[in-house]
Amino acid sequence: MFADLEEKLNSFSNIAEQISAVENELAQKEKELHVIAKRLTASRKAVTMTITDSIHATLAKLGMPNARFDIRITPLDAPRENGADEVEFLMSTNSGTAFCSLSSLSGGEAARVMLAVKSLLTGSVQLPTIIFDEIDTGVSGRIAEAMGSIMADMGAADRQVISITHLPQIAARGAHHYRVFKDDDKTQSQTDIELLSEEERLREIASMLSGETLTEEALGNARALLNNTAR
């Protein structure tokens, strides 16, 4: 008992030295933190132009040739968990319009910007799989075809691309086509998925074009879509 008390007393006797050692270690860690934060800031600024140029090029393919993407880097008073900067992504969708936050974009604009960003990211970090959940919201026609082309290019670059879509222009670009459907009975609802055969796929894309009633025109358009994307 007395030995324990003596040990505790001795630990209190050099408490000032312990505090001084911890303060010195803290000061050293703060210096290291500032050095790392400066390196991170420099790295961010070094790739800003490359990122914006790539996104501009993709947006031009998606029908937004005058859109401008800006990465704004603002220094903070002190480093935080993500560095010593506040990074903000801004967009100007048309010539002469002011930059605004991405949250103010329309559904179609946001979908195209998201595809441009994800296309760039997957090429940089080599993600093995990427999922697009109705990223085509608010687009159609030629823009949908361009989106499908970009997704197909991503899939050809040694990665798996899964797209959940209601647009025939995008569905026709997939290497495989799955149909998601729901079965309802009196007690429960169950969601299921099935891989479509070539004939089933043709009819599914035709129904995406014309609705439940399949017409010869819709089947012909679906066949043309599949033939064009297979080239």
Side-chain angles (χ1 to χ4, degrees):
M1 177 178 178
F2 290 107
D4 292 340
L5 291 175
E6 185 177 7
E7 183 178 349
K8 289 182 180 180
L9 183 60
N10 290 334
S11 68
F12 290 140
S13 65
N14 62 354
I15 190 66
E17 295 179 3
Q18 295 179 35
I19 292 175
S20 178
V22 171
E23 288 177 341
N24 290 336
E25 183 180 3
L26 178 60
Q28 181 61 34
K29 294 299 182 182
E30 287 180 344
K31 290 180 181 179
E32 294 175 6
L33 174 62
H34 283 282
V35 170
I36 294 172
K38 286 182 179 179
R39 290 176 183 169
L40 179 57
T41 298
S43 297
R44 284 170 170 164
K45 292 180 177 179
V47 299
T48 296
M49 187 64 69
T50 301
I51 292 173
T52 54
D53 286 347
S54 175
I55 291 177
H56 291 161
T58 304
L59 290 177
K61 296 177 183 177
L62 296 173
M64 300 176 68
N66 298 317
R68 289 293 174 266
F69 186 83
D70 184 41
I71 302 175
R72 196 160 294 175
I73 300 175
T74 305
L76 298 171
D77 294 335
R80 299 177 186 173
E81 64 270 19
N82 295 318
D85 319 295
E86 180 180 1
V87 181
E88 186 177 11
F89 297 139
L90 302 172
M91 274 291 299
S92 169
T93 54
N94 296 291
S95 299
T97 59
F99 281 93
C100 62
S101 66
L102 301 186
S103 61
S104 64
L105 298 178
S106 68
E109 291 168 344
R112 283 176 272 184
V113 172
M114 183 61 68
L115 178 58
V117 172
K118 286 194 173 184
S119 175
L120 173 63
L121 287 177
T122 54
S124 299
V125 300
Q126 294 299 312
L127 292 175
T129 301
I130 183 168
I131 300 175
F132 294 108
D133 187 0
E134 297 188 6
I135 197 172
D136 46 50
T137 300
V139 302
S140 60
R142 183 177 63 83
I143 304 305
E145 291 180 0
M147 277 190 158
S149 178
I150 291 173
M151 292 183 196
D153 290 342
M154 293 169 65
D158 197 27
R159 68 178 57 88
Q160 182 183 47
V161 177
I162 299 173
S163 177
I164 302 167
T165 182
H166 295 287
L167 294 182
Q169 296 94 332
I170 292 178
R173 296 305 299 260
H176 306 283
H177 191 150
Y178 291 84
R179 183 174 73 94
V180 179
F181 59 96
K182 182 180 292 186
D183 280 334
D184 292 311
D185 57 31
K186 294 181 179 180
T187 59
Q188 64 179 359
S189 296
Q190 180 174 320
T191 301
D192 209 342
I193 184 171
E194 64 177 354
L195 175 63
L196 301 183
S197 66
E198 289 301 317
E199 180 62 26
E200 290 170 335
R201 183 180 192 184
L202 174 66
R203 298 180 68 83
E204 182 68 17
I205 291 177
S207 71
M208 295 169 77
L209 288 164
S210 66
E212 292 185 6
T213 303
L214 296 183
T215 64
E216 288 301 322
E217 291 80 4
L219 288 168
N221 290 337
R223 191 174 290 107
L225 269 178
L226 289 168
N227 288 339
N228 287 337
T229 56
R231 293 175 184 174

